[in-house]
Amino acid sequence: MAKDTFLNRKHTLNCKGKLIDMSRPSVMAILNITPDSFYSSSRANSIDEALQKAENFVNAGAKFIDVGAYSSRSGAADVSETDETARVVPIIQALNQAFPETLISVDTFRASVAEKSIEAGAHLINDIAAGNLDEKMFETVAKLQVPYIMMHMKGTPQNMQDSPSYGNVSKEVFSYFNEKIETLTQLGVKDIILDPGFGFAKTLDHNYELLRNMQLLSLFNLPLLVGFSRKSMITKALNIKTEDALNGTTVLNTTALLKGANILRVHDVKEAMECVKLVNLIY
């Protein structure tokens, strides 16, 4: 049963000295400071717009807000480190001041952007590359001692969907995390969150096979984050547009919760919170 996947799971995160209870699933809202993120409604083009979106997220029940300034959609244009920093830091400063009780995550694979974001008020680092695109990331996380979300991905956002291939995707993702966790643990990193990387360097079949076997990742006894929100694994399977993918997102979020997910990373907070509340009534 789903509740069994939470036994012995790490139930707290240390966010700058504040212990965060992770014993029940929670929701992370997506806030993109980019002009080209795949879902236009997630974008904010100014501090005022970002604050308005954040207020809506918080009122709907989001525990986390994930701020990204580098689009990771397949084939997205590269963004310089300078531009990424200039986009994300002022937004994080404004969010931290306006919503001091909300946990802010910075979505970046660059160590310098991560460090400047933490200094600006962010509480967590969300790295789609798990250190593979910046050799300084792991040592930076160890130095900062903040929770680290690491995702599974092959390649870069520019080439990750160029014929992704696996012998067994579930086993390869498990082995990938096993190696990364060992390295981080040796560096003294204490708060690690795993993201299987749905939609990143994976075919439609890979994504659903990975979801089918997601409970394998519970063996690490670490919090699990999933991100399905309006992705192509839904739109391609159902032959629908991104704008019509909320129902499919809800189905996959619910499935993931039943398989032990701790955090739902979403565009639509209200609907995700409803998933969490209903699943909590069952388990």
Side-chain angles (χ1 to χ4, degrees):
M1 296 176 66
K3 62 181 179 181
D4 294 335
T5 64
F6 288 96
L7 295 177
N8 302 316
R9 187 79 63 85
K10 181 175 172 59
H11 283 165
T12 60
L13 295 176
N14 187 336
C15 292
K16 296 184 175 180
K18 182 179 180 180
L19 282 182
I20 306 302
D21 182 13
M22 297 295 295
S23 61
R24 285 294 185 179
S26 55
V27 172
M28 173 180 283
I30 300 168
L31 181 60
N32 289 315
I33 317 302
T34 56
D36 57 348
S37 297
F38 81 94
Y39 182 49
S40 60
S41 293
S42 70
R43 305 172 196 161
N45 299 312
S46 67
I47 290 178
D48 286 344
E49 189 175 0
L51 289 173
Q52 182 58 61
K53 286 182 177 293
E55 183 177 9
N56 293 337
F57 293 150
V58 171
N59 288 341
K63 178 178 286 189
F64 305 91
I65 297 178
D66 192 39
V67 186
Y70 186 115
S71 177
S72 55
R73 66 176 175 82
S74 180
D78 189 35
V79 176
S80 73
E81 195 167 307
T82 299
D83 286 347
E84 184 183 2
T85 302
R87 285 178 181 176
V88 77
V89 166
I91 300 296
I92 289 173
Q93 289 173 330
L95 291 175
N96 188 50
Q97 184 173 358
F99 307 101
E101 298 302 314
T102 300
L103 300 171
I104 303 167
S105 168
V106 57
D107 181 0
T108 185
F109 57 80
R110 290 167 168 151
S112 69
V113 176
E115 184 163 10
K116 289 170 184 171
S117 296
I118 296 298
E119 292 171 352
H123 304 86
L124 306 88
I125 297 168
N126 182 12
D127 179 8
I128 62 170
N132 286 343
L133 296 181
D134 191 332
E135 62 183 10
K136 294 182 179 179
M137 180 61 88
F138 278 17
E139 64 184 61
T140 298
V141 174
K143 179 179 70 174
L144 296 173
Q145 283 298 309
V146 294
Y148 179 57
I149 304 165
M150 63 172 174
M151 192 187 78
H152 174 272
M153 178 181 70
K154 286 184 175 182
T156 70
Q158 288 73 36
N159 63 27
M160 64 181 180
Q161 289 303 115
D162 295 348
S163 302
S165 177
Y166 300 88
N168 182 308
V169 66
S170 299
K171 289 182 179 179
E172 288 189 38
V173 170
F174 185 92
S175 296
Y176 177 93
F177 282 137
N178 191 51
E179 180 181 333
K180 298 284 186 181
I181 291 166
E182 183 176 355
T183 301
L184 286 165
T185 301
Q186 290 175 352
L187 288 170
V189 177
K190 297 179 177 62
D191 292 291
I192 303 168
I193 300 167
L194 306 181
D195 177 353
F198 293 103
F200 286 78
K202 297 169 185 73
T203 65
L204 193 65
D205 288 342
H206 291 148
N207 284 312
Y208 284 99
E209 181 183 345
L210 187 58
L211 176 56
R212 193 176 304 120
N213 298 309
M214 198 185 79
Q215 64 269 23
L216 290 174
L217 297 179
S218 296
L219 295 175
F220 290 117
N221 295 324
L222 295 172
L224 301 178
L225 178 150
V226 295
F228 306 109
S229 192
R230 299 179 180 270
K231 286 184 176 178
S232 63
M233 67 181 285
I234 299 168
T235 59
K236 288 181 178 179
L238 300 177
N239 192 27
I240 59 176
K241 296 179 180 179
T242 303
E243 291 74 19
D244 300 323
L246 177 56
N247 186 57
T249 299
T250 299
V251 171
L252 297 191
N253 280 339
T254 304
T255 301
L257 289 173
L258 295 175
K259 288 178 175 288
N262 296 82
I263 303 172
L264 302 177
R265 183 179 181 273
V266 301
H267 300 98
D268 307 281
V269 174
K270 175 181 176 291
E271 291 79 2
M273 285 297 300
E274 290 174 350
C275 287
V276 169
K277 289 175 182 178
L278 291 175
V279 170
N280 280 345
L281 290 176
I282 302 170
Y283 297 102

